[in-house]
Amino acid sequence: MSVEQGFGTLYSDLPLEELVERARQILPKYIYDELEEKVIKNEKLTENSKRRIIREAIIKYITSLAQPGEPVGVVGAQSLGEPGTQMTLRTFHYAGIMEFDVTLGLPRLIEIVDARREPSTPIMKVYLDEKHKYSAEKARKIARKLEYTTIDKILDRDPEWMAGIPEMRLYLDKELMEDKGVTIEKVVEVLKKAKLGEVTIESEDPPVILIELSERVLPPSEADNPMAYIALSNKVKKLYLKGVKGIKRAVIQQHEREVNGKKVVEYMILTEGSNLAEVMKIKGVDYRRVRTNNIHEIAEVLGIEAARQALVDEIMDVLRDSNLDVDIRHIMLLADLMTFTGVVRQIGRLGVAGQKPSVLARAAFEVTAKQLFDAAVRGEEERLLGVTETIIAGQVPRVGTGIVLLTSPHSPPDRAQAKAETSNQEGEGEKMEVGKQ
Amino acid sequence: MVYIGEDREDYIIKSIVMRMLPPREINKMARVTITRPELYESDGSPVPGGPRDPHFGAIEPGEICPVCGNTREHCPGHFGRLELARPVIVPYYSDHIYYMLQATCRVCGRLLLPQEKIDRYKIILKKLKKRWPLLAEAFLKEVRKEAAATMECPHCKSRQFKIRYIRPILFYEERPEGETRLTPIDIRERLEAIRDDELELLGMDPEKNRPEWAVISTLPVPPLAVRPPITLETGLKSEDDLTHALVEIIRQNKRLSNLIESSAPETMIEDAWLALQFVIAAYIDNELPNIYPLTHKSQRMMKTLAQRLKGKEGRLRGNLSGKRVNFSSRTVISPDPNIGINEVGVPVEVAKVLTFPMRVTPYNIEEARRYVLNGPYKWPGATFVYKKRTGKQIDLRFQRNYKQLAESLEVGDIVERHMIDGDVVLFNRQPSLHRMSILAHKVRVMPYKTFRLNPLVCPPYNADFDGDEMNLHLMRSQEARAEAEELLLVEKHIRTPRYGGPIIGGRQDYVSGAYLLTVKNRLLTEKEVIDLLGAAGYKGELPEPAILAPRKLWTGKQIVSLFLPDDFNYTGRAKINSGPLACDSIDCLHDSYIAINRGKLLIGVFDKAAIGAEVPENVLHKIALEYGDAKARELLDTMYKMFIRMLDLRGLTISLSDIDIPREAREEIQKLIREAKTEIEKLISDYRAGRLEPIPGRTLEETLEQKIIGRLNSLFSEAGKTATKYMDPFNDVFVMAKTGARGSEVNITQMVALLGQQVVRGKRVSRGFRTRTLAHFKPGDLSPEAKGFVKGNFRYGLRPTEVFFHAAAGREGLVDTAVKTSQSGYMQRRLMNAEQDLYVAYDGTVRDSYGHLVQVRYGEDGADPMATYHGKAVNVDRLIEMYGEIRESTNHR
Amino acid sequence: MPSKTRSKKRIDYRILEHELVPQHRVLSFEEAVEVLKRLGVKPHQLPRISINDPVVRLLGAKPGDIIEIKRRSPTAGEATYYRIVVVF
């Protein structure tokens, strides 16, 4: 096998135990663990073939390492950019979720690398803890707790009033109340707290509530002004009943899973809208696994490392959904770069590309003139180290074969001889230069 | 002409320091002072002291520069200057002026912070600047904010006022007596008062800059070489936009100075002054907000300084980041499966123009002489000879006596010879989306006028032959050639770094050919075997025939096995392994599970899953990974040739009859359609009657839509299944779809059974008239037909309304693609800009060019995705498959 | 959100258990020096983490501290990363 070539007899005479030890040192944990499980502990394999496999594994790993100078950034950008042309442009897509739309494909990918404050379709995946996840009833209860509900969500129609009579009637929708898990008493309580005036239940079914507006909220001078009523009615509609701010809707999802050969039905909640910090506090929620697709929120609540992981997961999800195959290493590199400074930076002008130390690189990207003037004011020094800068200056970029800085003079035989004679004292090493790094 | 590798001094620019241009420098640079707006005298000579003054440098042929005495070839051009009657603010600097005015005292010019704070901040800044330039930037912003918020000077105790700034150049101060405009003179005075030692806290380097330089009284006038006039065919001179803009500035300046001299009313002077400021702002950037852009008489905007730099065609992106090159060529590509994948066919015409400077050595002097003897017009010849001894350049086009020249060649000379077979060239197809868009090929000079490309290499370029053109570059140094050959050669890019799979490999005919060759019932006569192996260039013995009597016959699998490495093991599913042909072990009756043992294809057919491009971990990929790219290339250059040869032998063609199915099949499909229709009618009537249960969180309409779409989709796949059931398994259309060569089940269904639901904006077709899609339907009709469901198929044709719906969906697809390319193109540009400096350092870490450590280990395991098994650096299962030997004792148990 | 600071305090300990949050550890001075030496970097070349990062606040790290992060890695099984605490 040609891959072996260059390794000659490396490790070929080591006894098994020692090879295993080498493998443990050299191989990443993941590979070593697999090797241990499938080979080292496999009694069916002959010792010789075990040795061969372990040795091959080590060689394979070493040969698969990225070579020094490999421009992994460029390759990563290409690997993510090239399949972009094959992505859907459909903003909305049914990703197995019938209940609501999720942004996917190219728009979502752009949104992620742009590090938008707010995704266009914020969504949370709320997993439940052991006590709650097996019961649809318990799950529904939590879902109701999550949904941000204001009075207008359970209204049958707009509040009724007549200018001149300081009263307002709320006609509630029984079905909606049931669906959201709100009782009429709760509504009354909220209205009382709002201190609008006397609140009475006029009828239980259909549920109607009468508010006698106090003079404090509706001064007599305003009693004839319809605008005052409209303002009040809007205020009433916005009154908070229950739920988590930002969660517009919560839907229960059912999953079947096999545990010890038995089929178990598990429930989880999907929400439209996102509020990680608050949802994590809700009882019954498995706070270890709650997810949101809002990266900035994750950075704020769980920290930059969690945000990095979320970036990787989100991008991989988008790619997987579009049936595109991109190695996770490219995504990890991008995520590490985006979170390098400890905050989630966007990829463009206002983030990674705009914060480069090089004026020319920035100017060549966007807002050219401003970059140049600003650099002049600051008295910046362009050190011509990055790729764009070196290309502009007509020099060799320090990536790929360009990282090799050790040079030795090469001259045809006759000249080399002549040179050696004249410059013997100075020493040939003069032209040799070793890179700084 | 200087040749690379020969006496080349390496001048390296180490750094470029950016600073504001000091007035002193402006004066020092200036070789002429401009006073007049006129360009030419009546006799056509340039006006001295005008923007075309000869002191700006020689630009006419034969002209001698009065400053440096050079002709235009060597004159670098010289600056001039224009004394402004009143000082003017430079736009862009004004943003900085704004915060400086805010943060400093209007009376004493000190930074509006107490002394202790200034001292402390200076120390912090010094520390930050050294290590954390980004943090320093943020810190300075905070300092500025703090100072700007101070309304009483801590030093001289004078009161401060709010400054209002209107981009790009207007400043107002909100004094108690009312808002007053700050003139450039006022501003300059204030800026002059700022102390050097406080400048750095204002974000300016005191060693390089002074803030008052942001207000200029002398305008540098660029040399003519920067703004050359062009002579039109009519003989008329046409001046550059910059010259026009300068004329405008000079006029405005003249007007202002005249007004001042004639002691005109101050308001008139102010107006003229403001006008001058705006013209200068426009001269620097004609697209600034709140200015009057400079235009030509035709209202066309002038391209002033910023416009030259900006944007895709601007100086930076268009000329500095992307450069034009010589020794390149572009023409249409056409396929040639007979050349190797590493090769490219180049027309003789091209080969005679793209030349390589060949240094004459004792080893190649005879060869060099042959080229010279052939001259520039006969391939393989030479176009130039550079004599080392005399340093002379000889153009063979003007040379009669090739023979004498050939004889005079000596070691050390350089012969500019034609491109010949084996030269390494770069080959490229746009858009260059990934590194495989530029690969190195070895030249094969050929007749006719297209570049010839092995069709196996189409996938990396994403090329086809419907008129695609490609670019070819000849590299002119041995260093570049060597690097290209080592790193960019096609065979080194069989595997893609995107996901660790093969990107070069069989497509289309290669796939169907491979299938037809390796299919179970393929038995080949001796003649056929020899023909196939001959196409592959096989040299060796024929294997024992699988059938000896009544005549010798070989199986396709036997023939294919001749090319596989002797110790190669492989198991895996074929592409045809699905539906009725599904199997998941070697015990496979459908021949759809591939098993190769010790280089022998025992069972299974070769199709896309085995030899195709872009299928990770298939036979080709594993061979490339385990036996090296060269071995994979060999396979592509031999075995794959047999696949298409197989098609030559058998023939592969489609006709109308291939997509025709028997009457009973069509009736069955019609029945399915009727069934679906009745179900959907029921859904609609349920919906109308309010009996439909909504999906939680969805409206009733959405629920109905989803249910209808779901039902129609299942109808489509049922119809497809019914159709394929009735098709001949060796029907070529069917073979192509099944093996993954071309087309899919969807395509077959659309041809044979029905087109199915047409989708626009992710929904059933719904727009057009107010409550219906077309006037052919009743208002509010929700039936499948009225909303873009197409019952017709391509075989029997569509109804007029169906044609319309199909066209609507098709058009949307086209628009989508257009939008998508621009969006993803921009995303890729940003990604590239962000990530381009990252590389793997010698210690395995990922760093940027400033030494920032981005990853401790690339990809956390250090593996190059290109060298992996679809992401796995080491595939343990595969190693066991290849080398695992089962213990004797356990075997018996 | 007025309740933001209070709510954050209450879930403090929980975030460390979240599956997205890898294990963070503040390195001792000696360890930090060793890490810098091994990686051949100066502190300012390391990836950063804000002093206001919720995890950093829980750990009580100071600016200039180096945090060792043990990530679960899909490619290597386990990966170590370092970030230096900075003020924003």
Side-chain angles (χ1 to χ4, degrees):
Chain A
M1 279 176 60
S2 77
V3 173
E4 267 179 45
Q5 280 168 18
F7 286 87
T9 55
L10 177 82
Y11 295 163
S12 60
D13 48 358
L14 282 185
L16 184 60
E17 301 76 62
E18 219 165 299
L19 257 178
V20 170
E21 190 45 42
R22 291 284 156 90
R24 198 205 307 276
Q25 287 163 7
I26 295 169
L27 298 177
K29 190 175 172 318
Y30 185 70
I31 300 169
Y32 178 78
D33 288 351
E34 195 182 347
L35 206 60
E36 183 170 84
E37 186 200 319
K38 289 182 179 162
V39 179
I40 301 172
K41 287 187 177 162
N42 185 344
E43 310 221 317
K44 284 187 193 156
L45 290 173
T46 62
E47 176 152 339
N48 252 342
S49 66
K50 279 188 192 177
R51 282 183 48 212
R52 173 105 199 248
I53 291 170
I54 297 169
R55 179 170 174 263
E56 288 290 341
I58 296 174
I59 290 172
K60 201 94 232 190
Y61 176 66
I62 294 172
T63 47
S64 77
L65 290 179
Q67 292 180 29
E70 184 75 21
V72 285
V74 171
V75 172
Q78 290 173 349
S79 298
L80 200 52
E82 189 254 343
T85 37
Q86 300 164 39
M87 272 190 182
T88 42
L89 200 70
R90 280 274 78 73
T91 309
F92 297 112
H93 209 257
Y94 310 105
I97 313 164
M98 296 264 264
E99 285 80 5
F100 37 74
D101 301 320
V102 191
T103 310
L104 281 170
L106 191 62
R108 175 66 185 149
L109 188 62
I110 291 177
E111 192 173 282
I112 299 170
V113 298
D114 267 353
R116 302 251 171 86
R117 273 275 141 211
E118 196 75 41
S120 60
T121 50
I123 275 191
M124 285 187 83
K125 284 188 188 141
V126 183
Y127 295 92
L128 304 176
D129 64 13
E130 283 296 318
K131 275 189 210 149
H132 296 79
K133 69 174 157 191
Y134 302 114
S135 149
E137 200 32 58
K138 285 178 184 167
R140 193 155 301 127
K141 244 185 188 159
I142 294 175
R144 279 182 187 155
K145 250 196 244 172
L146 291 177
E147 257 180 340
Y148 185 77
T149 312
T150 47
I151 285 185
D152 66 336
K153 292 269 168 62
I154 52 160
L155 282 184
D156 181 55
R157 53 193 126 121
D158 255 17
E160 277 184 8
W161 44 267
M162 270 245 274
I165 310 168
E167 281 179 2
M168 194 172 282
R169 266 187 193 80
L170 304 184
Y171 295 86
L172 307 179
D173 185 320
K174 196 133 200 221
E175 266 176 45
L176 281 173
M177 282 169 69
E178 219 158 279
D179 182 50
K180 313 262 181 210
V182 182
T183 58
I184 194 159
E185 288 75 28
K186 172 78 187 168
V187 182
V188 170
E189 186 195 320
V190 167
L191 287 170
K192 278 187 175 154
K193 242 192 218 156
K195 298 210 171 109
L196 295 162
E198 205 60 31
V199 182
T200 44
I201 299 175
E202 242 188 16
S203 145
E204 289 269 0
D205 198 10
V208 182
I209 294 173
L210 174 75
I211 313 168
E212 288 164 56
L213 298 166
S214 70
E215 290 195 355
R216 204 176 51 81
V217 289
L218 191 77
S221 60
E222 291 278 301
D224 288 330
N225 182 3
M227 293 317 287
Y229 287 89
I230 292 174
L232 273 173
S233 129
N234 283 338
K235 199 176 151 197
V236 168
K237 282 202 278 186
K238 286 272 125 59
L239 284 176
Y240 168 83
L241 283 172
K242 62 170 196 64
V244 176
K245 201 172 174 190
I247 308 290
K248 287 201 202 86
R249 212 144 32 119
V251 186
I252 297 175
Q253 286 264 303
Q254 223 182 77
H255 291 281
E256 274 185 20
R257 205 162 59 110
E258 237 173 81
V259 180
N260 307 329
K262 268 190 289 177
K263 272 204 180 146
V264 185
V265 180
E266 278 183 13
Y267 296 90
M268 61 165 293
I269 300 167
L270 283 175
T271 71
E272 194 185 331
S274 164
N275 188 339
L276 185 59
E278 295 300 320
V279 171
M280 274 178 79
K281 288 192 304 192
I282 305 274
K283 238 185 112 188
V285 168
D286 184 355
Y287 60 85
R288 293 176 192 85
R289 293 175 66 203
V290 194
R291 288 282 182 130
T292 168
N293 63 354
N294 185 336
I295 311 275
H296 281 282
E297 205 180 349
I298 292 180
E300 241 163 67
V301 178
L302 298 176
I304 194 68
E305 272 293 316
R308 182 210 91 112
Q309 187 59 48
L311 273 173
V312 174
D313 293 350
E314 285 289 323
I315 297 178
M316 285 308 280
D317 280 351
V318 173
L319 293 170
R320 213 168 294 134
D321 180 84
S322 306
N323 259 325
L324 291 170
D325 203 349
V326 177
D327 196 287
I328 195 167
R329 291 170 185 87
H330 303 307
I331 315 298
M332 293 197 290
L333 181 65
L334 181 65
D336 277 326
L337 182 67
M338 284 175 73
T339 56
F340 182 84
T341 55
V343 289
V344 181
R345 293 189 294 173
Q346 70 152 118
I347 225 66
R349 180 173 61 216
L350 306 167
V352 184
Q355 292 177 356
K356 293 199 170 178
S358 161
V359 203
L360 290 181
R362 276 181 276 128
F365 180 49
E366 270 164 19
V367 285
T368 308
K370 190 174 158 43
Q371 292 292 355
L372 296 174
F373 278 99
D374 288 356
V377 170
R378 281 194 284 259
E380 274 181 48
E381 184 184 353
E382 171 60 66
R383 288 164 60 205
L384 300 168
L385 294 173
V387 175
T388 317
E389 307 93 277
T390 34
I391 296 289
I392 286 175
Q395 297 177 6
V396 181
R398 296 241 203 118
V399 291
T401 46
I403 67 164
V404 181
L405 294 176
L406 181 70
T407 53
S408 97
H410 168 80
S411 349
D414 54 325
R415 276 181 61 199
Q417 224 169 22
K419 213 168 179 185
E421 278 158 26
T422 54
S423 66
N424 235 351
Q425 315 89 310
E426 297 157 55
E428 277 286 305
E430 182 189 57
K431 253 195 143 178
M432 288 171 89
E433 191 189 327
V434 184
K436 275 181 222 151
Q437 284 177 7
Chain B
M1 199 179 281
V2 178
Y3 278 96
I4 292 169
E6 173 68 5
D7 303 321
R8 182 189 62 167
E9 285 300 324
D10 285 305
Y11 289 107
I12 301 284
I13 306 172
K14 275 238 147 138
S15 81
I16 301 167
V17 174
M18 314 284 283
R19 63 185 291 200
M20 297 163 81
L21 194 57
R24 198 172 356 100
E25 283 298 317
I26 297 177
N27 288 326
K28 221 166 92 187
M29 287 192 315
R31 288 297 122 96
V32 56
T33 302
I34 297 302
T35 50
R36 298 171 58 185
E38 297 86 13
L39 296 169
Y40 302 100
E41 306 281 11
S42 50
D43 65 350
S45 64
V47 175
R52 279 243 39 203
D53 191 290
H55 290 83
F56 281 115
I59 49 153
E60 302 288 347
E63 186 185 349
I64 302 287
C65 174
V67 178
C68 61
N70 287 311
T71 54
R72 72 166 180 174
E73 282 75 28
H74 296 284
C75 172
H78 311 281
F79 268 87
R81 63 175 182 176
L82 175 67
E83 293 292 350
L84 301 176
R86 289 263 169 103
V88 161
I89 290 170
V90 178
Y92 287 108
Y93 283 154
S94 42
D95 292 359
H96 299 268
I97 292 177
Y98 177 45
Y99 65 72
M100 290 203 174
L101 291 181
Q102 283 181 316
T104 56
C105 175
R106 58 190 296 272
V107 178
C108 69
R110 295 286 309 268
L111 190 61
L112 290 170
L113 290 172
Q115 191 59 46
E116 333 65 272
K117 268 196 178 167
I118 293 180
D119 294 338
R120 208 173 70 233
Y121 286 168
K122 270 196 214 159
I123 296 166
I124 297 175
L125 181 69
K126 205 164 264 168
K127 276 190 195 154
L128 282 176
K129 242 190 182 160
K130 230 161 100 193
R131 303 259 145 116
W132 318 91
L134 279 179
L135 292 188
E137 206 61 21
F139 174 70
L140 282 177
K141 222 181 215 165
E142 289 307 309
V143 173
R144 282 203 297 261
K145 250 193 218 151
E146 194 186 341
T150 316
M151 289 327 265
E152 193 197 81
C153 176
H155 306 280
C156 72
K157 307 288 174 222
S158 44
R159 210 174 137 209
Q160 306 298 315
F161 304 115
K162 238 184 155 166
I163 308 276
R164 202 158 67 87
Y165 167 41
I166 301 173
R167 286 218 159 88
I169 45 172
L170 296 180
F171 290 93
Y172 295 91
E173 194 171 46
E174 289 173 7
R175 292 184 196 157
E177 68 265 26
E179 205 175 66
T180 323
R181 195 169 88 82
L182 297 176
T183 64
I185 294 179
D186 303 330
I187 290 167
R188 180 148 74 182
E189 265 169 24
R190 291 203 191 173
L191 295 175
E192 274 166 350
I194 299 174
R195 285 167 44 164
D196 261 354
D197 62 317
E198 283 167 5
L199 263 184
E200 48 182 330
L201 282 177
L202 288 164
M204 193 179 258
D205 185 344
E207 282 179 22
K208 293 174 183 140
N209 293 328
R210 277 298 308 172
E212 61 268 22
W213 296 346
V215 183
I216 51 167
S217 344
T218 311
L219 183 77
V221 182
L224 271 173
V226 173
R227 44 185 179 90
I230 43 168
T231 316
L232 301 169
E233 310 92 85
T234 50
L236 283 172
K237 278 263 165 76
S238 175
E239 294 297 326
D240 191 273
D241 276 8
L242 271 192
T243 309
H244 284 301
L246 282 169
V247 168
E248 205 51 48
I249 293 175
I250 298 162
R251 276 211 197 106
Q252 233 11 284
N253 189 46
K254 195 114 203 160
R255 195 164 79 92
L256 178 61
S257 63
N258 285 344
L259 286 172
I260 295 169
E261 258 166 51
S262 60
S263 36
E266 194 54 34
T267 49
M268 275 182 79
I269 295 178
E270 288 269 327
D271 281 351
W273 190 6
L274 212 56
L276 178 67
Q277 289 187 45
F278 278 123
V279 179
I280 289 180
Y283 166 71
I284 286 162
D285 184 348
N286 213 4
E287 286 163 12
L288 286 170
N290 309 324
I291 64 159
Y292 303 102
L294 287 167
T295 59
H296 290 278
K297 279 178 215 108
S298 62
Q299 295 301 326
R300 206 195 77 221
M301 292 252 288
M302 278 190 202
K303 273 188 101 178
T304 55
L305 289 172
Q307 277 63 51
R308 287 186 170 206
L309 307 180
K310 258 183 196 165
K312 199 161 164 199
E313 259 99 60
R315 203 80 332 129
L316 274 120
R317 277 227 264 158
N319 302 111
L320 292 166
S321 300
K323 305 173 196 224
R324 306 263 140 190
V325 293
N326 289 324
F327 298 98
S328 63
S329 167
R330 178 184 174 97
T331 180
V332 175
I333 51 165
S334 47
D336 187 343
N338 300 313
I339 62 173
I341 60 161
N342 278 339
E343 292 182 306
V344 58
V346 179
V348 186
E349 282 88 344
V350 171
K352 284 198 279 198
V353 176
L354 305 191
T355 57
F356 181 80
M358 180 176 105
R359 160 141 282 135
V360 178
T361 66
Y363 317 105
N364 67 7
I365 188 157
E366 284 313 313
E367 189 190 343
R369 287 197 169 118
R370 276 201 306 280
Y371 297 139
V372 174
L373 268 178
N374 273 340
Y377 304 116
K378 188 176 161 204
W379 184 84
T383 56
F384 281 88
V385 170
Y386 304 92
K387 299 296 288 178
K388 189 192 178 192
R389 201 187 295 269
T390 56
K392 267 208 185 117
Q393 190 185 116
I394 301 160
D395 189 339
L396 294 214
R397 279 175 304 175
F398 312 118
Q399 206 67 27
R400 285 280 154 70
N401 201 342
Y402 298 150
K403 208 168 165 191
Q404 192 206 330
L405 188 62
E407 270 158 22
S408 79
L409 278 186
E410 48 193 353
V411 172
D413 290 351
I414 290 168
V415 172
E416 195 79 50
R417 55 140 243 251
H418 288 158
M419 180 193 277
I420 53 169
D421 285 4
D423 274 346
V424 180
V425 293
L426 297 181
F427 204 38
N428 158 244
R429 179 180 176 275
Q430 283 121 347
S432 310
L433 293 172
H434 53 193
R435 68 183 187 193
M436 288 83 76
S437 291
I438 303 181
L439 295 174
H441 290 249
K442 290 185 177 166
V443 166
R444 271 251 316 243
V445 179
M446 293 179 152
Y448 311 121
K449 304 209 163 156
T450 57
F451 288 138
R452 251 53 60 79
L453 179 67
N454 188 314
L456 284 167
V457 199
C458 286
Y461 293 120
N462 195 14
D464 50 37
F465 302 104
D466 59 3
D468 289 23
E469 290 180 46
M470 284 181 70
N471 312 315
L472 181 136
H473 304 262
L474 179 73
M475 280 161 298
R476 309 224 328 134
S477 77
Q478 297 290 357
E479 192 188 4
R481 286 175 77 147
E483 194 166 303
E485 201 173 337
E486 285 301 317
L487 299 173
L488 299 180
L489 201 62
V490 174
E491 68 175 56
K492 313 262 178 189
H493 291 268
I494 293 173
R495 295 167 293 137
T496 164
R498 192 175 109 201
Y499 50 84
I503 190 164
I504 292 173
R507 258 189 184 180
Q508 307 202 0
D509 276 2
Y510 286 95
V511 174
S512 19
Y515 170 75
L516 291 169
L517 179 61
T518 53
V519 75
K520 236 188 213 173
N521 60 5
R522 175 70 53 217
L523 291 172
L524 303 153
T525 63
E526 184 164 15
K527 200 172 154 231
E528 285 169 332
V529 170
I530 289 170
D531 186 68
L532 285 167
L533 290 176
Y538 175 75
K539 292 184 188 74
E541 303 271 314
L542 285 190
E544 280 295 307
I547 293 172
L548 288 166
R551 52 183 181 146
K552 289 196 214 165
L553 290 172
W554 284 262
T555 66
K557 292 190 171 75
Q558 271 185 296
I559 308 300
V560 164
S561 303
L562 292 176
F563 295 90
L564 301 172
D566 287 339
D567 58 350
F568 185 68
N569 297 336
Y570 178 93
T571 54
R573 289 169 189 218
K575 172 86 181 176
I576 60 164
N577 191 335
S578 74
L581 300 180
C583 315
D584 51 6
S585 76
I586 324 177
D587 304 317
C588 181
L589 292 174
H590 316 296
D591 214 19
S592 64
Y593 197 88
I594 305 164
I596 300 169
N597 194 14
R598 308 242 161 265
K600 295 276 178 285
L601 177 58
L602 301 178
I603 185 176
V605 291
F606 272 11
D607 57 17
K608 192 174 180 204
I611 57 119
E614 296 174 276
V615 184
E617 298 194 88
N618 65 9
V619 174
L620 177 68
H621 186 214
K622 285 186 170 161
I623 286 178
L625 270 172
E626 290 156 11
Y627 299 84
D629 292 328
K631 179 71 196 175
R633 195 222 81 232
E634 191 189 308
L635 225 54
L636 290 164
D637 279 344
T638 56
M639 187 171 86
Y640 279 64
K641 294 211 159 103
M642 275 192 336
F643 298 155
I644 37 177
R645 187 68 193 167
M646 184 64 229
L647 291 187
D648 294 346
L649 289 176
R650 177 193 178 270
L652 184 90
T653 177
I654 64 171
S655 76
L656 212 50
S657 63
D658 285 326
I659 53 167
D660 216 353
I661 46 170
R663 175 177 285 273
E664 68 260 32
R666 293 206 304 270
E667 274 162 10
E668 204 174 310
I669 290 167
Q670 287 311 313
K671 212 180 107 210
L672 289 173
I673 294 176
R674 278 196 303 275
E675 280 168 21
K677 265 209 76 164
T678 34
E679 273 179 54
I680 287 166
E681 271 160 20
K682 173 143 192 322
L683 280 174
I684 294 173
S685 64
D686 278 355
Y687 161 74
R688 292 237 155 92
R691 285 190 303 258
L692 198 68
E693 254 325 291
I695 300 169
R698 288 285 182 190
T699 64
L700 221 51
E701 288 77 26
E702 286 170 337
T703 308
L704 177 73
E705 279 301 306
Q706 281 188 7
K707 292 209 160 144
I708 293 176
I709 289 171
R711 184 63 189 91
L712 290 174
N713 285 344
S714 71
L715 165 65
F716 183 77
S717 57
E718 279 168 34
K721 281 203 192 84
T722 312
T724 42
K725 201 168 69 193
Y726 284 94
M727 286 174 90
D728 171 12
F730 284 94
N731 167 343
D732 287 347
V733 174
F734 193 60
V735 165
M736 285 193 284
K738 206 171 54 171
T739 57
R742 197 73 219 242
S744 63
E745 196 140 307
V746 173
N747 295 136
I748 291 185
T749 310
Q750 293 199 327
M751 287 188 283
V752 177
L754 77 172
L755 250 64
Q757 181 63 49
Q758 301 302 306
V759 180
V760 174
R761 300 199 172 183
K763 296 193 184 85
R764 298 203 289 161
V765 182
S766 61
R767 288 149 46 99
F769 293 84
R770 207 183 309 150
T771 53
R772 49 186 165 166
T773 50
L774 284 171
H776 308 68
F777 306 106
K778 294 211 168 77
D781 192 350
L782 293 174
S783 67
E785 294 82 359
K787 292 242 169 190
F789 186 75
V790 179
K791 286 190 291 186
N793 56 48
F794 288 132
R795 170 67 182 85
Y796 287 97
L798 311 184
R799 290 152 187 269
T801 55
E802 294 180 335
V803 170
F804 176 79
F805 293 135
H806 187 227
R811 170 65 57 81
E812 195 199 19
L814 293 181
V815 172
D816 258 25
T817 324
V819 176
K820 211 162 53 188
T821 29
S822 71
Q823 284 203 0
S824 76
Y826 181 47
M827 184 187 76
Q828 189 168 11
R829 192 171 107 77
R830 286 181 314 177
L831 280 170
M832 191 62 78
N833 250 290
E835 289 195 271
Q836 62 188 351
D837 297 335
L838 306 180
Y839 67 97
V840 177
Y842 281 105
D843 59 359
T845 60
V846 178
R847 309 203 178 211
D848 72 3
S849 44
Y850 291 82
H852 293 122
L853 183 114
V854 178
Q855 283 188 326
V856 178
R857 202 129 211 253
Y858 172 60
E860 302 190 337
D861 64 350
D864 180 352
M866 183 168 155
T868 62
Y869 288 82
H870 200 195
K872 276 185 139 180
V874 176
N875 187 337
V876 176
D877 293 327
R878 176 66 182 155
L879 288 174
I880 297 172
E881 186 176 40
M882 284 293 281
Y883 310 113
E885 288 161 23
I886 307 294
R887 255 176 221 274
E888 292 279 324
S889 53
T890 51
N891 236 359
H892 290 296
R893 249 191 287 161
Chain C
M1 277 180 269
S3 65
K4 204 168 157 188
T5 43
R6 209 184 63 223
S7 70
K8 247 185 191 167
K9 217 169 245 168
R10 251 197 287 164
I11 55 153
D12 261 352
Y13 69 97
R14 293 184 170 190
I15 65 166
L16 295 182
E17 293 175 39
H18 197 282
E19 60 174 12
L20 282 174
V21 181
Q23 203 191 90
H24 292 56
R25 184 174 72 91
V26 183
L27 293 184
S28 69
F29 180 73
E30 292 74 26
E31 286 173 317
V33 170
E34 192 272 328
V35 164
L36 290 177
K37 218 174 115 190
R38 181 160 50 83
L39 295 176
V41 290
K42 300 194 184 88
H44 71 272
Q45 292 173 322
L46 276 181
R48 296 160 214 164
I49 189 165
S50 165
I51 187 81
N52 295 317
D53 191 274
V55 180
V56 171
R57 285 211 298 208
L58 280 178
L59 292 179
K62 308 179 300 299
D65 280 349
I66 291 176
I67 310 256
E68 181 193 77
I69 295 146
K70 284 247 184 279
R71 294 174 175 167
R72 279 214 316 266
S73 163
T75 57
E78 193 179 270
T80 319
Y81 200 70
Y82 302 94
R83 285 182 187 272
I84 185 163
V85 180
V86 293
V87 207
F88 268 79

